Amino acid sequence: QVQLVESGGGLVQPGGSLRLSCVTSGFTLDYYAIGWFRQAPGKEREGVVCISSSHGSTYYADSVKGRFTISRDNAKNTVYLQMNSLKPEDTAVYYCASAYGVCGEYDYWGQGTQVTVSS
């Protein structure tokens, strides 16, 4: 069955870095866009970044541009989110989700991984 499993979260000091992984199974990653989302306590879920399937086009939220980088390794069925210069406001549960072809209508979601930025 389709699965997306996030990992790599943790506690990091402001200014630090983390790399999240989204390992997929049950479908051919080559044909799917993958988005990263986050939800902080008491806030709505927000889109962070998405990478499309074909040309690997990327779409970043303004709040993370220049600090976060998404990449994909289809051979490893994995999408990565490199997060640098982390801020306390980046604290949230981070989720990855799949959409066929282009970023937009996400059909499958992972269980999330907690990222906490604090001194």
Side-chain angles (χ1 to χ4, degrees):
Q1 73 273 24
V2 173
Q3 280 192 309
L4 293 88
V5 180
E6 304 95 335
S7 64
L11 173 64
V12 63
Q13 292 187 341
S17 298
L18 282 174
R19 188 177 80 157
L20 306 184
S21 299
C22 174
V23 178
T24 69
S25 60
F27 62 95
T28 303
L29 182 59
D30 305 53
Y31 303 128
Y32 283 78
I34 298 293
W36 282 97
F37 297 79
R38 65 186 182 186
Q39 188 166 21
K43 294 187 176 181
E44 292 191 356
R45 185 176 63 200
E46 64 170 337
V48 175
V49 60
C50 181
I51 185 166
S52 67
S53 62
S54 54
H55 300 292
S57 300
T58 56
Y59 308 90
Y60 290 89
D62 288 343
S63 58
V64 306
K65 279 181 182 176
R67 300 188 299 123
F68 290 12
T69 303
I70 191 171
S71 62
R72 61 192 298 154
D73 185 338
N74 291 340
K76 294 184 177 180
N77 296 315
T78 302
V79 174
Y80 303 98
L81 181 63
Q82 178 67 44
M83 306 187 297
N84 298 329
S85 302
L86 283 161
K87 305 175 181 180
E89 50 264 44
D90 294 319
T91 295
V93 177
Y94 284 70
Y95 302 88
C96 60
S98 63
Y100 185 75
V102 299
C103 300
E105 297 184 6
Y106 297 94
D107 45 12
Y108 293 97
W109 294 77
Q111 83 290 347
T113 185
Q114 176 71 47
V115 171
T116 303
V117 185
S118 175
S119 55

